[in-house]
Amino acid sequence: MARPATLIVNPSAGNGRAATVLPQAEAALRRLDVPFEVERTTSLDHARELAGTATAAGRTAVVLSGDGMIGAVAGVLAQDEGLLGVLPGGRGNDFARVLGIPFDVEGACAVVAGGVERRVDLGDAGGRPFIGVASVGFDSDANRIANQTKLVTGSLVYAYGALRALAAWHPARFTLELDRRERVSFIGYSVAAANSPAYGGGMFIAPAAQLDDGLIDVVCSGRATRRRCLYNLPKVFSGRHVESPSVRVFRAGEVSVSCDRPFTVYADGDPIGDLPLTVSARSRALRVLVPS
């Protein structure tokens, strides 16, 4: 029999997708003989509490929500040596995408029932955990627009946010300090500190990033015309935007970011802090179930 699980569900995730998927997930877990209990939450703090309780009881904390709640729960699990299971229930689901966890309910539940454990890195932004990408600048505006809009649903909401943000964008000056040694300053669009290759529903902002190398890939999008930026935007879905002369990529265990004007840093689709901020990787801190 599979290890018992606590299914932590955010019913509002993915514009209600998680609530729709829940009955299918329950049925699939029963067919797979996974003992489980369901806990509904819309609060990150409550989700963290539930993850801690699950770990203390020797249960897998299975999150049916988006990457934001997965990241919040992951921080508790890393601290307590808990085990994470993922059922994609958000708009982007990039953590599942990178780990190869199926988006269909049956396939994802099969990973919870019979997957193998893998240790992956956990990002840290000023003491706040995240699983994917922490980004700032142009991305701050795009994320804010994506989170507020009701006009577009699904993963396309992030592309919509980027197009809307581009129309009003004015370049900013960013300053980076890499591993407390190398200092980089540039004028442009954004800085993305990537623990994982993808964000925004399949945008491979840092195509060479790895989830278990103990490092952060720092992608700097420098000065370019709006026309050039618009031309490069579709290339983010394949990762080919890094070939542009205006994009530079660094790799470090830690990066400190500041800017000449205020910005909110977003990670896993949610606001996580304000500049200046230091981002780092906690090497192999998180246990997660992945396909065998």
Side-chain angles (χ1 to χ4, degrees), residues 143 166 171:
N143 270 290
L166 182 61

Side-chain angles (χ1 to χ4, degrees), residues 6-11 38-54 69 72-73 76:
T6 296
L7 188 52
I8 302 171
V9 184
N10 177 5
V38 176
E39 297 284 357
R40 292 171 173 81
T41 181
T42 56
S43 159
L44 294 181
D45 284 339
H46 186 215
R48 293 183 185 102
E49 180 184 332
L50 292 170
T53 301
M69 185 163 285
V73 164
V76 173

Side-chain angles (χ1 to χ4, degrees), residues 258-272:
S258 59
C259 190
D260 62 355
R261 66 178 191 258
F263 279 111
T264 296
V265 180
Y266 281 74
D268 304 328
D270 292 328
I272 200 169

Side-chain angles (χ1 to χ4, degrees), residues 14-32:
N15 290 330
R17 179 178 185 272
T20 302
V21 165
L22 177 57
Q24 303 169 48
E26 291 178 290
L29 292 172
R30 290 190 187 99
R31 284 194 296 273
L32 292 163

